[in-house]
Amino acid sequence: MKRLMMAALLPVIVAGCTNSNNNPLSPVVGGSDRNVKISANQLTITSIDGLALPGAQVLIGDALNSPFEGNFLTADASGQVEIPAAWAGAQPITIQAKGFVRMTYMSVQPGATTFKLRPLNTLNQFEVKGTTTGLPIKNGDGNIDFGLVMQGFSKMQLFAFNMDSILSAQNDKISALGQEMDIPANLSLPAQKEKYALFTVTLDKPAYRIYFGQPGVTRVFVAKGTFPFKQVVDGVRGGAKLYEMLNVFNLTGGAIRDVNLSKSNTQLDLPTNEIAFSVKNTVVAPQFRADETFMAAALSGQGGMLLPTDVKKLNAGQKVTINTAPNMEANVLAVLTKTEDLRANIDRVSTAILPMKGTTTPQVLPLINNPVVGAGGLELNLPQVQSVAGVNSLATYAVFSNEIQVQQGADKVKLMNQTWEVYADKWVSNLKVPAFPNDTLINGNKRWEVNFLGSQTASQAAMGPAMIEAATHVTHSSVNF
């Protein structure tokens, strides 16, 4: 059953798989609530919501005492450090604070700059659980009705994506036809019966559970949908690939809730009929190679979050209708991947997020090879990337992750956790990230991801997260080592 449900949101799943738990709406625990006053001769370090981070460490340059003595600094109680007089010309700047993702800007000119760090995930995660209601279940109608609960997605999460945010790595077991089946924990299947051949199959798992890596306010989204039971089972038994059956899955509506994660467990029952995915949009697939697969997901935007409301697999040049929610921004997530990569779950994909106005024909950047990691894990030789008409080189964004073990309910789960993000201007052929003093990140199982960001506008965004917000196109690959 898990394999069947993966097809329903496969384009979003393959939009880059970092296997991390990111929660972009969460406020930060710790730091200082003092007002931060920006000085023309200081670097300022804060959390993403503007709280000062006293004690943050700042490295100016490639390594300790390079390119000048005294280049390793500690932020004061206001989260600030004085700019050294010896700093002349553009240098990489690396910022680290306890409990936060390390950040490197590869080229910063001397002068007042504010760095905003996002929090690391916690090892003891926050559980949201409950049931979904309002599904139009009718036994014997040939369709399976489901509710799929997930977080709302930021643009960053769709470009550097976490598979476990869509389809849980955790399973719940149900019994059917005398056998046990694993069902994704974030999937709700209220009791229903359908026939297959001579047998009546009962599916009954009304409860869902999902996990978040950080406390604070987060957005939870449920999508209701159906798939034709016999057609999908016959397809799987006949050897059909999941992406080949994608178009028989139908998402029709859902609901949104904002939840304050202040304790380890939060009960949240979700209706599924508050929003109808009723606004029709037209997407035309670009031309692509015979060994590639192209998919499109409709995204409805609300409050800075993107919610998947439809998904289709397209042939080259094919025109389809995809549905979004009314009174929300309508966007399309275009996804290109190698067909072999889909089968092997290889982390290589090219995506674009574009507004839908009338008929949209999204173009994507070419797929790229994996980066190559040099000795010590701090140097990356990056693949070549070619642009397409109308897409300008914007930035290179690399992410380093360590494998960690977290507690999710009664289970201990291993996942790749983002611990270092690196920003560079334009598209670069190699990255030599600074050697941070007393570094312990380059231990254990780890991963580097590379993202080449492009934009349909020619303007250059400010170094940092603004580059991701300005991006419309990303081509992505990674390497584990």
Short mmCIF file of all heavy atoms in Angstrom, two decimals, residues 377-424:
data_model
loop_
_atom_site.label_atom_id
_atom_site.label_comp_id
_atom_site.label_asym_id
_atom_site.label_seq_id
_atom_site.Cartn_x
_atom_site.Cartn_y
_atom_site.Cartn_z
N GLY A 377 36.66 16.21 2.79
CA GLY A 377 35.25 16.51 2.71
C GLY A 377 34.89 17.97 2.60
O GLY A 377 33.70 18.31 2.62
N LEU A 378 35.89 18.87 2.46
CA LEU A 378 35.62 20.30 2.43
C LEU A 378 35.70 20.91 1.04
O LEU A 378 35.43 22.10 0.87
CB LEU A 378 36.59 21.04 3.36
CG LEU A 378 36.46 20.73 4.85
CD1 LEU A 378 37.49 21.50 5.65
CD2 LEU A 378 35.06 21.07 5.35
N GLU A 379 36.10 20.12 0.06
CA GLU A 379 36.21 20.66 -1.30
C GLU A 379 35.31 19.87 -2.23
O GLU A 379 35.30 18.64 -2.22
CB GLU A 379 37.66 20.60 -1.80
CG GLU A 379 37.86 21.32 -3.12
CD GLU A 379 39.32 21.57 -3.43
OE1 GLU A 379 40.18 21.18 -2.62
OE2 GLU A 379 39.60 22.16 -4.49
N LEU A 380 34.54 20.59 -3.04
CA LEU A 380 33.61 19.98 -3.97
C LEU A 380 33.93 20.39 -5.39
O LEU A 380 34.05 21.59 -5.69
CB LEU A 380 32.17 20.43 -3.65
CG LEU A 380 31.53 19.94 -2.36
CD1 LEU A 380 30.19 20.63 -2.16
CD2 LEU A 380 31.35 18.45 -2.39
N ASN A 381 34.12 19.39 -6.24
CA ASN A 381 34.16 19.65 -7.67
C ASN A 381 32.74 19.48 -8.20
O ASN A 381 32.15 18.40 -8.09
CB ASN A 381 35.12 18.68 -8.37
CG ASN A 381 36.56 18.94 -7.98
OD1 ASN A 381 36.99 20.10 -7.91
ND2 ASN A 381 37.31 17.89 -7.69
N LEU A 382 32.20 20.54 -8.77
CA LEU A 382 30.80 20.56 -9.12
C LEU A 382 30.58 20.23 -10.59
O LEU A 382 31.43 20.52 -11.44
CB LEU A 382 30.20 21.93 -8.79
CG LEU A 382 30.36 22.38 -7.34
CD1 LEU A 382 29.67 23.72 -7.12
CD2 LEU A 382 29.79 21.34 -6.38
N PRO A 383 29.43 19.64 -10.91
CA PRO A 383 29.15 19.29 -12.31
C PRO A 383 28.90 20.54 -13.14
O PRO A 383 28.57 21.61 -12.61
CB PRO A 383 27.89 18.43 -12.21
CG PRO A 383 27.24 18.89 -10.94
CD PRO A 383 28.36 19.23 -10.00
N GLN A 384 29.05 20.40 -14.44
CA GLN A 384 28.72 21.49 -15.36
C GLN A 384 27.21 21.57 -15.51
O GLN A 384 26.50 20.58 -15.45
CB GLN A 384 29.37 21.27 -16.72
CG GLN A 384 30.87 21.39 -16.72
CD GLN A 384 31.45 21.28 -18.12
OE1 GLN A 384 30.85 20.68 -19.01
NE2 GLN A 384 32.61 21.87 -18.32
N VAL A 385 26.73 22.80 -15.70
CA VAL A 385 25.31 23.00 -15.93
C VAL A 385 25.13 23.98 -17.07
O VAL A 385 25.85 24.98 -17.18
CB VAL A 385 24.60 23.50 -14.66
CG1 VAL A 385 25.21 24.79 -14.14
CG2 VAL A 385 23.12 23.67 -14.90
N GLN A 386 24.19 23.68 -17.95
CA GLN A 386 23.87 24.55 -19.07
C GLN A 386 22.55 25.25 -18.80
O GLN A 386 21.60 24.63 -18.30
CB GLN A 386 23.78 23.74 -20.36
CG GLN A 386 25.05 23.02 -20.75
CD GLN A 386 26.20 23.97 -21.05
OE1 GLN A 386 25.99 25.02 -21.65
NE2 GLN A 386 27.40 23.60 -20.65
N SER A 387 22.46 26.52 -19.15
CA SER A 387 21.23 27.25 -18.96
C SER A 387 20.26 26.99 -20.10
O SER A 387 20.59 26.31 -21.08
CB SER A 387 21.51 28.75 -18.83
OG SER A 387 20.32 29.43 -18.43
N VAL A 388 19.07 27.50 -19.97
CA VAL A 388 18.08 27.46 -21.03
C VAL A 388 17.62 28.89 -21.26
O VAL A 388 17.83 29.78 -20.42
CB VAL A 388 16.87 26.56 -20.67
CG1 VAL A 388 17.31 25.12 -20.52
CG2 VAL A 388 16.19 27.04 -19.39
N ALA A 389 17.01 29.14 -22.39
CA ALA A 389 16.59 30.49 -22.74
C ALA A 389 15.65 31.05 -21.69
O ALA A 389 14.71 30.38 -21.24
CB ALA A 389 15.90 30.47 -24.10
N GLY A 390 15.95 32.28 -21.26
CA GLY A 390 15.09 32.96 -20.30
C GLY A 390 15.41 32.68 -18.85
O GLY A 390 14.75 33.24 -17.96
N VAL A 391 16.41 31.83 -18.57
CA VAL A 391 16.79 31.52 -17.19
C VAL A 391 18.21 32.00 -16.95
O VAL A 391 19.14 31.58 -17.66
CB VAL A 391 16.67 30.02 -16.89
CG1 VAL A 391 17.11 29.74 -15.44
CG2 VAL A 391 15.25 29.53 -17.11
N ASN A 392 18.39 32.88 -15.97
CA ASN A 392 19.69 33.46 -15.67
C ASN A 392 20.35 32.77 -14.47
O ASN A 392 19.66 32.36 -13.53
CB ASN A 392 19.54 34.96 -15.35
CG ASN A 392 18.91 35.73 -16.49
OD1 ASN A 392 19.53 35.92 -17.52
ND2 ASN A 392 17.67 36.16 -16.31
N SER A 393 21.67 32.66 -14.52
CA SER A 393 22.44 32.11 -13.41
C SER A 393 22.27 33.00 -12.19
O SER A 393 22.53 34.20 -12.25
CB SER A 393 23.91 32.00 -13.80
OG SER A 393 24.72 31.76 -12.68
N LEU A 394 21.83 32.41 -11.07
CA LEU A 394 21.58 33.20 -9.87
C LEU A 394 22.54 32.86 -8.75
O LEU A 394 23.17 33.75 -8.16
CB LEU A 394 20.13 32.97 -9.41
CG LEU A 394 19.69 33.69 -8.14
CD1 LEU A 394 19.73 35.20 -8.36
CD2 LEU A 394 18.28 33.25 -7.74
N ALA A 395 22.67 31.58 -8.39
CA ALA A 395 23.48 31.21 -7.23
C ALA A 395 23.77 29.72 -7.24
O ALA A 395 23.10 28.94 -7.91
CB ALA A 395 22.75 31.59 -5.93
N THR A 396 24.79 29.35 -6.46
CA THR A 396 25.06 27.96 -6.13
C THR A 396 24.80 27.80 -4.64
O THR A 396 25.33 28.55 -3.82
CB THR A 396 26.51 27.58 -6.45
OG1 THR A 396 26.77 27.82 -7.84
CG2 THR A 396 26.76 26.10 -6.14
N TYR A 397 23.99 26.81 -4.31
CA TYR A 397 23.60 26.59 -2.92
C TYR A 397 23.92 25.14 -2.58
O TYR A 397 23.37 24.21 -3.17
CB TYR A 397 22.10 26.86 -2.75
CG TYR A 397 21.53 26.51 -1.39
CD1 TYR A 397 22.00 27.10 -0.23
CD2 TYR A 397 20.48 25.60 -1.29
CE1 TYR A 397 21.46 26.79 1.00
CE2 TYR A 397 19.91 25.29 -0.05
CZ TYR A 397 20.41 25.89 1.09
OH TYR A 397 19.87 25.58 2.31
N ALA A 398 24.86 24.93 -1.66
CA ALA A 398 25.26 23.59 -1.25
C ALA A 398 24.84 23.35 0.19
O ALA A 398 24.87 24.26 1.02
CB ALA A 398 26.77 23.41 -1.40
N VAL A 399 24.46 22.11 0.49
CA VAL A 399 24.00 21.76 1.83
C VAL A 399 24.71 20.50 2.29
O VAL A 399 24.76 19.50 1.57
CB VAL A 399 22.47 21.52 1.86
CG1 VAL A 399 22.02 21.17 3.28
CG2 VAL A 399 21.72 22.74 1.36
N PHE A 400 25.27 20.57 3.49
CA PHE A 400 25.93 19.43 4.11
C PHE A 400 25.01 18.85 5.17
O PHE A 400 24.40 19.58 5.95
CB PHE A 400 27.25 19.87 4.75
CG PHE A 400 28.01 18.78 5.44
CD1 PHE A 400 28.88 17.97 4.73
CD2 PHE A 400 27.85 18.55 6.80
CE1 PHE A 400 29.59 16.95 5.38
CE2 PHE A 400 28.54 17.55 7.45
CZ PHE A 400 29.42 16.74 6.73
N SER A 401 24.91 17.51 5.22
CA SER A 401 24.06 16.84 6.20
C SER A 401 24.83 15.73 6.88
O SER A 401 25.67 15.06 6.26
CB SER A 401 22.82 16.24 5.53
OG SER A 401 22.02 17.23 4.93
N ASN A 402 24.53 15.54 8.17
CA ASN A 402 25.03 14.40 8.93
C ASN A 402 23.89 13.44 9.22
O ASN A 402 22.74 13.87 9.41
CB ASN A 402 25.62 14.85 10.27
CG ASN A 402 26.93 15.58 10.13
OD1 ASN A 402 26.96 16.80 10.21
ND2 ASN A 402 28.00 14.85 9.92
N GLU A 403 24.20 12.16 9.30
CA GLU A 403 23.20 11.20 9.70
C GLU A 403 23.02 11.25 11.22
O GLU A 403 24.00 11.20 11.96
CB GLU A 403 23.59 9.79 9.28
CG GLU A 403 22.53 8.74 9.59
CD GLU A 403 22.93 7.35 9.16
OE1 GLU A 403 23.81 6.76 9.84
OE2 GLU A 403 22.41 6.86 8.15
N ILE A 404 21.78 11.37 11.67
CA ILE A 404 21.49 11.36 13.10
C ILE A 404 20.38 10.35 13.37
O ILE A 404 19.69 9.89 12.47
CB ILE A 404 21.06 12.75 13.62
CG1 ILE A 404 19.76 13.21 12.93
CG2 ILE A 404 22.16 13.77 13.44
CD1 ILE A 404 19.16 14.46 13.53
N GLN A 405 20.24 10.00 14.63
CA GLN A 405 19.16 9.12 15.07
C GLN A 405 18.23 9.91 15.96
O GLN A 405 18.65 10.49 16.96
CB GLN A 405 19.71 7.90 15.81
CG GLN A 405 18.64 6.91 16.25
CD GLN A 405 19.24 5.62 16.78
OE1 GLN A 405 19.51 4.68 16.05
NE2 GLN A 405 19.49 5.59 18.08
N VAL A 406 16.95 9.96 15.58
CA VAL A 406 15.97 10.75 16.33
C VAL A 406 14.89 9.83 16.88
O VAL A 406 14.69 8.71 16.40
CB VAL A 406 15.33 11.84 15.45
CG1 VAL A 406 16.38 12.78 14.91
CG2 VAL A 406 14.52 11.21 14.31
N GLN A 407 14.21 10.32 17.91
CA GLN A 407 13.11 9.58 18.52
C GLN A 407 11.80 10.07 17.93
O GLN A 407 11.45 11.24 18.03
CB GLN A 407 13.10 9.77 20.03
CG GLN A 407 12.20 8.81 20.77
CD GLN A 407 12.79 7.40 20.86
OE1 GLN A 407 14.00 7.24 20.98
NE2 GLN A 407 11.92 6.41 20.78
N GLN A 408 11.07 9.16 17.26
CA GLN A 408 9.75 9.48 16.71
C GLN A 408 8.75 8.49 17.31
O GLN A 408 8.70 7.33 16.90
CB GLN A 408 9.75 9.40 15.19
CG GLN A 408 10.61 10.47 14.54
CD GLN A 408 10.48 10.51 13.04
OE1 GLN A 408 9.96 9.59 12.42
NE2 GLN A 408 10.97 11.58 12.44
N GLY A 409 7.99 8.96 18.28
CA GLY A 409 7.10 8.05 18.99
C GLY A 409 7.91 7.01 19.73
O GLY A 409 8.84 7.31 20.47
N ALA A 410 7.58 5.73 19.50
CA ALA A 410 8.29 4.64 20.16
C ALA A 410 9.51 4.18 19.37
O ALA A 410 10.25 3.31 19.83
CB ALA A 410 7.34 3.46 20.35
N ASP A 411 9.74 4.76 18.21
CA ASP A 411 10.78 4.28 17.32
C ASP A 411 11.97 5.24 17.24
O ASP A 411 11.79 6.46 17.33
CB ASP A 411 10.22 4.05 15.91
CG ASP A 411 9.10 3.04 15.90
OD1 ASP A 411 9.28 1.96 16.49
OD2 ASP A 411 8.03 3.34 15.33
N LYS A 412 13.14 4.66 17.04
CA LYS A 412 14.33 5.45 16.73
C LYS A 412 14.57 5.38 15.23
O LYS A 412 14.62 4.30 14.65
CB LYS A 412 15.53 4.93 17.50
CG LYS A 412 15.43 5.14 19.01
CD LYS A 412 16.68 4.68 19.74
CE LYS A 412 16.57 4.97 21.24
NZ LYS A 412 17.76 4.51 21.98
N VAL A 413 14.71 6.56 14.59
CA VAL A 413 14.77 6.66 13.14
C VAL A 413 16.04 7.38 12.74
O VAL A 413 16.39 8.41 13.31
CB VAL A 413 13.53 7.42 12.61
CG1 VAL A 413 13.61 7.55 11.09
CG2 VAL A 413 12.25 6.72 13.03
N LYS A 414 16.73 6.85 11.73
CA LYS A 414 17.91 7.52 11.19
C LYS A 414 17.49 8.41 10.02
O LYS A 414 16.70 8.00 9.16
CB LYS A 414 18.95 6.49 10.72
CG LYS A 414 19.63 5.74 11.87
CD LYS A 414 20.70 4.80 11.34
CE LYS A 414 21.41 4.10 12.50
NZ LYS A 414 22.46 3.17 12.02
N LEU A 415 18.02 9.63 10.00
CA LEU A 415 17.76 10.53 8.88
C LEU A 415 18.96 11.44 8.67
O LEU A 415 19.82 11.59 9.54
CB LEU A 415 16.47 11.35 9.11
CG LEU A 415 16.34 12.18 10.40
CD1 LEU A 415 17.03 13.52 10.29
CD2 LEU A 415 14.87 12.38 10.72
N MET A 416 19.02 12.01 7.46
CA MET A 416 20.09 12.96 7.14
C MET A 416 19.63 14.35 7.58
O MET A 416 18.59 14.84 7.14
CB MET A 416 20.41 12.93 5.65
CG MET A 416 20.93 11.58 5.16
SD MET A 416 22.39 10.96 6.04
CE MET A 416 23.63 12.15 5.52
N ASN A 417 20.39 14.97 8.45
CA ASN A 417 20.02 16.23 9.08
C ASN A 417 20.92 17.35 8.59
O ASN A 417 22.14 17.29 8.74
CB ASN A 417 20.13 16.10 10.60
CG ASN A 417 19.52 17.28 11.32
OD1 ASN A 417 18.45 17.74 10.97
ND2 ASN A 417 20.22 17.75 12.35
N GLN A 418 20.34 18.39 8.00
CA GLN A 418 21.13 19.50 7.47
C GLN A 418 21.84 20.24 8.59
O GLN A 418 21.22 20.66 9.57
CB GLN A 418 20.23 20.46 6.70
CG GLN A 418 19.61 19.84 5.46
CD GLN A 418 18.73 20.80 4.69
OE1 GLN A 418 18.57 21.96 5.08
NE2 GLN A 418 18.18 20.34 3.58
N THR A 419 23.16 20.39 8.44
CA THR A 419 23.95 21.03 9.49
C THR A 419 24.81 22.20 8.98
O THR A 419 25.40 22.91 9.79
CB THR A 419 24.89 20.00 10.17
OG1 THR A 419 25.62 19.29 9.16
CG2 THR A 419 24.08 19.00 10.99
N TRP A 420 24.91 22.37 7.66
CA TRP A 420 25.77 23.44 7.11
C TRP A 420 25.22 23.81 5.75
O TRP A 420 24.98 22.95 4.90
CB TRP A 420 27.20 22.92 7.00
CG TRP A 420 28.26 23.95 6.74
CD1 TRP A 420 28.12 25.28 6.47
CD2 TRP A 420 29.68 23.71 6.75
NE1 TRP A 420 29.34 25.89 6.30
CE2 TRP A 420 30.32 24.94 6.48
CE3 TRP A 420 30.46 22.57 6.95
CZ2 TRP A 420 31.70 25.07 6.39
CZ3 TRP A 420 31.83 22.70 6.87
CH2 TRP A 420 32.45 23.92 6.59
N GLU A 421 24.98 25.10 5.53
CA GLU A 421 24.56 25.56 4.22
C GLU A 421 25.53 26.61 3.70
O GLU A 421 26.04 27.43 4.46
CB GLU A 421 23.12 26.11 4.25
CG GLU A 421 22.86 27.19 5.26
CD GLU A 421 21.39 27.59 5.32
OE1 GLU A 421 20.61 27.15 4.46
OE2 GLU A 421 21.03 28.36 6.23
N VAL A 422 25.79 26.54 2.39
CA VAL A 422 26.81 27.36 1.76
C VAL A 422 26.21 28.07 0.55
O VAL A 422 25.57 27.42 -0.31
CB VAL A 422 28.02 26.51 1.30
CG1 VAL A 422 29.09 27.39 0.65
CG2 VAL A 422 28.60 25.74 2.49
N TYR A 423 26.40 29.38 0.48
CA TYR A 423 25.89 30.19 -0.63
C TYR A 423 27.06 30.78 -1.42
O TYR A 423 28.01 31.30 -0.83
CB TYR A 423 25.03 31.33 -0.11
CG TYR A 423 23.76 30.92 0.58
CD1 TYR A 423 23.75 30.65 1.95
CD2 TYR A 423 22.56 30.82 -0.12
CE1 TYR A 423 22.58 30.28 2.60
CE2 TYR A 423 21.39 30.44 0.52
CZ TYR A 423 21.40 30.18 1.87
OH TYR A 423 20.24 29.83 2.52
N ALA A 424 26.96 30.74 -2.75
CA ALA A 424 27.95 31.37 -3.63
C ALA A 424 27.23 32.09 -4.75
O ALA A 424 26.17 31.65 -5.22
CB ALA A 424 28.90 30.33 -4.20
#
